[in-house]
Amino acid sequence: MSGTPKRLDVDGLLTDPATSIIVCCGSGGVGKTTVAAALALRAAEQGRDVVVLTIDPARRLAQSLGLTELDNNPREVEGVQGAGRLFAMMLDMQRTFDEIVENHADPERIEQILQNPFYQSLSAGFSGTQEYMAMEKLGQLRRTGEETGSWDLIIVDTPPSRSALDFLDAPNRLGSFLDGKLIKVLMAPAKAGGGFALKVLASGFSIATMALNKLLGSGLLHDVQTFVGALESMFGGFRQRAEETYQLLQAEGTAFLVVAAPEPDALREAAYFTERLAAENMPLAGLILNRVHPVTVPELSAEKALAAAEELDADSADPRLAAGLLRLHAERVRLAARERRLAERFTASQPGVAVAEIPAQSGDIHDLDGLRLAGDLLAG
Amino acid sequence: MSRPWPPECRLHIVTGKGGTGKTTAAAALALALAEGGGRVLLVEVEGRQGIAQLFDTAPLPYEERSIAIAPGGGEVFALAIDPEQALLEYLDMFYKLGRAGKALKRFGAIDFATTVAPGMRDVLLTGKACEAVRRTAADRPGAAFAYDAVVMDAPPTGRITRFLNVNTEVAGLARVGPVKNQAEAVMRVLTSPQTAVHLTTVLEDMPVQETLDGVEELRAAGLPVGAILVNMVRTAHLTIGKRAAVSTAAEKRVAALLRPYGIDTDETHALAVLGREHAERLTLEEVERRALDGAGQPVVELPQIGGGIDLGGLYELAAALSAAAAIGEAA
Ligand SMILES: Nc1ncnc2c1ncn2[C@@H]1O[C@H](COP(=O)(O)OP(=O)(O)O)[C@@H](O)[C@H]1O
Ligand SMILES: Nc1ncnc2c1ncn2[C@@H]1O[C@H](COP(=O)(O)OP(=O)(O)O)[C@@H](O)[C@H]1O
Ligand SMILES: [Mg+2]
Ligand SMILES: [Mg+2]
């Protein structure tokens, strides 16, 4: 059948020593964190030394990974059954941002930046901050891995944004903000001279300044200026590191996995993401279809099951159990058919993308056993 | 059951964990509130064009447009609030800034205000919604307001308190001036009984946990929590008594009943496994329901619509919401 996709060779990907970074992306709530953790555990149990960067893991999953303290550093996970080691960490966005300031700003300015209301507002709420910080942490994990040899495979989960694309766009968005005219003009007083062009800008700027002062009070502009001035020493480094991490994502040894649920929104995002990765020369390893609902009695059609259930309803010998099971099956057949159609539509528009599936479990996946089972199911 | 929201409520803010049905529930609620002749404005604030997608129309401009007719008459208008446009409109309306407004735009100050200082962006978005709530009716004889209600498809639970708590957010940035005054005016509406913040969830551990945390946070910020909207509730195919009954003995009896339909014992076994999984899920859902009840807010359940949401599905959800409101009214 033309709609049948290539099977994703999960174990091949995990055990290939050339694989050094795996990025799990997809829209929010599809199971990215679960998949990232399940892959990491499987890789470790097959002998790799792995670190998994999770973002917003479910509380119980975090507990079973030993992530009870938010210290923004990887900790070794106990209970791995195999030759490899597994480290896990949970991203603390605010901490990561503060660490950048602490490590890269002029020492005498660190406090000034951390206390500035604009810094506080920006670090907590700039759209894309979390995505950017995930990138930053990935770069750090890579350097730590090279220095200490603690891991040679990094598996990254991505933030629970609505759109899978946010992850790729964040560094650019931050960059274009930092390159913005306003920032340039605001920084101009801090720079000597400034040049003619800036002076012309600055005269128009004073009109804007007056308007802003009128609206917001003059204290505000002063805060912005202090903030921008204080950050200036870090800006270059900021952008440079974002670019380096971006290149890391294009490098040999990096593999992207797009995670999706068999639902229209998630698959639409997955398709956008697939196209975007191709455009950016970023290597897509495959699609992971999570929470699919398999049909267990393929010979029994939904119609036949429902007809039988109707008859049994009239039969007083049936304590309703048989009819209930038949209705359950009929519902499952319809759901599975819908999921199949959606998956086939994806495969038709994105031919050549390899696929692996994880069936929906009746409960959450919140411990190592659950992750191990998910890994087994993924590897097929 | 208690009333899902106070009768004087005119601003309904719908939040929830991403993907649990905020947009869908907000649209259904707008239809329910417009039912029988009302006029309701449905607004979105995240630039996602989720409303247009849901109603299968072209992307919404920054303009209030009629988007659906409610059951029994009544009309739903929709608006995608864009922070930049809202800022320009605001500047124009109150300050006649003209040249300075253009200068602000040219210098990216608008971009700056709307992206870098999220508190500023939020006060513009909530400010626009509050403006629509307070707007008086010039063209509606007998009605006090232009809209009977405004429903907002709001940011997710993780960000909602910060988003609505504009006063605190802006206070650190603008200490004096009209923006600060605006923030205070918005806050007065948001903390009054005119407003209710509803939270959508599904019966799973993570979203329920997030909902409970969200309720706590909203309360701590003095924001009025409305109903918990439990979405995508699936039909239970086994009654409570039968859930535990998918035993080996029961499986034998079922096998005997199903044999005449050409279903063999292996197949019956597969059906029984499906039944056990279903029972397990229903049990877990019961646990989540109890946890939600513990929040002490009214809970409204919305059914799972098979095959995806279309206008018919929205009407079905709207009917569930109207029924809950009517029961609450009678109680
Ligand atoms: N295949 C599955 N079957 C059952 N539950 C699952 C499955 N995959 C994920 N979950 C559950 O769904 C919830 C969300 O998963 P998570 O991995 O945190 O999503 P994301 O990181 O994409 O937001 C978790 O509670 C998780 O246990
Ligand atoms: N009651 C329901 N029954 C079936 N599908 C639903 C229901 N509510 C929402 N959905 C579907 O779930 C997905 C997410 O819903 P949406 O309203 O977009 O969530 P959010 O705005 O919270 O991200 C959409 O595909 C929507 O059609
Ligand atoms: Mg996650
Ligand atoms: Mg939405």
Side-chain angles (χ1 to χ4, degrees):
Chain A
M1 199 173 79
S2 64
T4 307
K6 199 166 68 185
R7 244 209 95 78
L8 171 66
D9 178 9
V10 172
D11 284 341
L13 177 70
L14 294 180
T15 55
D16 181 351
T19 308
S20 58
I21 294 176
I22 296 176
V23 184
C24 297
C25 43
S27 49
V30 293
K32 288 183 299 293
T33 304
T34 309
V35 167
L39 289 172
L41 178 64
R42 189 168 182 86
E45 297 198 328
Q46 300 199 356
R48 298 288 307 262
D49 293 331
V50 192
V51 62
V52 59
L53 169 61
T54 65
I55 293 159
D56 280 349
R59 217 163 283 179
R60 285 201 293 175
L61 178 66
Q63 275 163 7
S64 10
L65 291 174
L67 300 175
T68 40
E69 255 173 88
L70 250 178
D71 63 357
N72 211 24
N73 279 307
R75 289 166 172 257
E76 186 153 7
V77 177
E78 283 165 32
V80 174
Q81 300 168 359
R85 298 170 78 189
L86 173 61
F87 294 82
M89 70 164 289
M90 185 173 7
L91 181 74
D92 179 340
M93 173 178 84
Q94 183 70 53
R95 198 61 231 125
T96 307
F97 214 137
D98 292 352
E99 278 167 10
I100 298 176
V101 173
E102 283 157 9
N103 295 336
H104 299 278
D106 301 338
E108 68 277 11
R109 287 197 149 157
I110 293 174
E111 265 320 291
Q112 202 186 351
I113 298 179
L114 295 181
Q115 297 307 325
N116 186 285
F118 272 88
Y119 171 76
Q120 290 172 356
S121 168
L122 172 72
S123 59
F126 181 75
S127 58
T129 305
Q130 212 178 18
E131 283 81 0
Y132 181 79
M133 292 306 134
M135 286 270 205
E136 180 76 25
K137 202 72 205 177
L138 169 60
Q140 283 177 20
L141 288 176
R142 166 74 157 212
R143 287 190 291 276
T144 311
E146 276 165 1
E147 282 159 20
T148 65
S150 298
W151 47 79
D152 55 15
L153 173 61
I154 304 171
I155 300 189
V156 240
D157 176 16
T158 51
S161 49
R162 173 67 194 259
S163 160
L165 299 179
D166 287 354
F167 183 64
L168 286 179
D169 290 332
N172 264 339
R173 211 171 324 137
L174 200 61
S176 71
F177 154 61
L178 297 177
D179 286 330
K181 252 191 225 160
L182 183 73
I183 294 288
K184 286 220 175 72
V185 178
L186 285 174
M187 288 201 303
K191 286 184 181 152
F196 176 69
L198 267 181
K199 288 204 177 98
V200 173
L201 270 178
S203 83
F205 179 65
S206 66
I207 301 176
T209 312
M210 271 159 55
L212 280 177
N213 278 337
K214 194 167 144 197
L215 283 172
L216 304 166
S218 53
L220 177 103
L221 220 60
H222 180 72
D223 278 344
V224 178
Q225 250 154 349
T226 317
F227 165 63
V228 171
L231 276 182
E232 201 193 348
S233 58
M234 310 169 35
F235 276 2
F238 238 66
R239 228 183 336 256
Q240 192 192 336
R241 281 195 311 285
E243 262 155 39
E244 280 168 14
T245 310
Y246 210 73
Q247 279 163 15
L248 195 57
L249 295 179
Q250 291 171 319
E252 197 86 15
T254 297
F256 280 83
L257 285 172
V258 179
V259 185
E263 281 155 19
D265 297 1
L267 282 168
R268 187 176 338 110
E269 283 298 326
Y272 285 147
F273 202 77
T274 302
E275 284 157 19
R276 178 69 190 276
L277 284 174
E280 307 270 339
N281 284 322
M282 291 185 177
L284 173 68
L287 171 77
I288 291 180
L289 212 49
N290 188 29
R291 304 188 106 167
V292 298
H293 296 85
V295 171
T296 47
V297 187
E299 279 77 36
L300 181 59
S301 73
E303 295 69 28
K304 222 178 121 191
L306 288 179
E310 294 266 307
E311 276 186 48
L312 286 167
D313 275 343
D315 179 352
S316 58
D318 172 43
R320 286 275 153 81
L321 180 57
L325 293 178
L326 288 168
R327 293 209 163 85
L328 207 53
H329 171 75
E331 188 181 79
R332 173 59 66 92
V333 169
R334 289 192 172 145
L335 179 59
R338 174 175 143 91
E339 291 181 352
R340 198 49 45 221
R341 259 197 321 278
L342 291 167
E344 274 167 12
R345 202 180 302 159
F346 175 89
T347 317
S349 72
Q350 311 295 329
V353 175
V355 180
E357 294 185 355
I358 310 180
Q361 305 299 298
S362 35
D364 282 345
I365 298 176
H366 58 254
D367 55 13
L368 290 190
D369 289 339
L371 291 177
R372 199 171 283 126
L373 174 64
D376 289 344
L377 292 166
L378 253 180
Chain B
M1 193 169 75
S2 59
R3 267 199 307 252
W5 47 81
E8 65 265 47
C9 179
R10 291 185 51 245
L11 176 58
H12 296 261
I13 295 173
V14 182
T15 181
K17 184 170 160 59
T20 58
K22 282 182 299 299
T23 306
T24 309
L29 182 57
L31 284 169
L33 293 167
E35 205 168 285
R39 191 193 280 185
V40 176
L41 181 66
L42 174 62
V43 301
E44 71 175 26
V45 294
E46 293 205 291
R48 303 261 187 214
Q49 290 293 341
I51 298 174
Q53 264 182 36
L54 180 57
F55 286 92
D56 204 16
T57 59
L60 297 171
Y62 186 66
E63 187 186 290
E64 291 156 35
R65 295 220 164 151
S66 173
I67 194 155
I69 299 298
E75 197 167 9
V76 175
F77 288 73
L79 169 70
I81 306 180
D82 171 60
E84 200 177 307
Q85 302 254 30
L87 178 57
L88 289 173
E89 181 185 281
Y90 173 82
L91 294 176
D92 243 34
M93 193 151 43
F94 293 100
Y95 303 101
K96 311 268 177 289
L97 279 179
R99 201 158 86 93
K102 283 205 195 80
L104 281 176
K105 192 162 183 172
R106 196 153 55 85
F107 282 99
I110 309 254
D111 257 3
F112 183 83
T114 55
T115 54
V116 180
M120 306 260 173
R121 180 192 61 211
D122 297 347
V123 79
L124 290 164
L125 297 170
T126 47
K128 178 68 193 171
C130 289
E131 181 272 314
V133 170
R134 284 181 309 220
R135 198 184 307 158
T136 47
D139 62 330
R140 296 181 72 200
F145 294 104
Y147 291 105
D148 298 302
V150 175
V151 180
M152 181 192 284
D153 176 10
T157 323
R159 283 192 281 123
I160 191 68
T161 304
R162 203 171 243 283
F163 175 77
L164 296 176
N165 215 355
V166 283
N167 209 359
T168 317
E169 291 303 309
V170 167
L173 305 177
R175 281 182 282 271
V176 290
V179 167
K180 174 151 175 59
N181 300 343
Q182 163 84 348
E184 281 168 1
V186 167
M187 212 58 208
R188 275 194 296 277
V189 175
L190 294 182
T191 53
S192 76
Q194 267 187 87
T195 300
V197 185
H198 309 301
L199 300 96
T200 58
T201 187
V202 292
L203 290 173
E204 285 175 24
D205 189 57
M206 257 181 114
V208 166
Q209 196 55 54
E210 212 176 298
T211 304
L212 297 174
D213 293 347
V215 169
E216 287 293 312
E217 272 182 44
L218 288 164
R219 280 185 190 148
L223 292 157
V225 183
I228 294 174
L229 308 175
V230 179
N231 193 17
M232 306 192 219
V233 176
R234 278 160 292 209
T235 321
H237 288 285
L238 300 179
T239 51
I240 304 259
K242 297 291 171 291
R243 288 180 199 173
V246 199
S247 60
T248 324
E251 201 180 305
K252 278 215 179 85
R253 268 184 288 119
V254 171
L257 283 165
L258 294 186
R259 200 160 301 120
Y261 299 97
I263 298 166
D264 65 27
T265 40
D266 283 351
E267 289 174 331
T268 299
H269 180 66
L271 292 179
V273 170
L274 196 63
R276 277 173 209 131
E277 281 171 12
H278 183 67
E280 200 180 319
R281 256 247 324 284
L282 291 174
T283 309
L284 290 172
E285 289 183 358
E286 258 349 285
V287 174
E288 303 303 346
R289 273 198 181 89
R290 271 200 300 281
L292 288 173
D293 282 340
Q297 295 298 137
V299 174
V300 180
E301 297 209 351
L302 301 174
Q304 163 96 358
I305 307 291
I309 298 283
D310 54 9
L311 199 58
L314 279 181
Y315 281 169
E316 207 173 307
L317 297 176
L321 284 163
S322 300
I327 293 169
E329 224 37 66

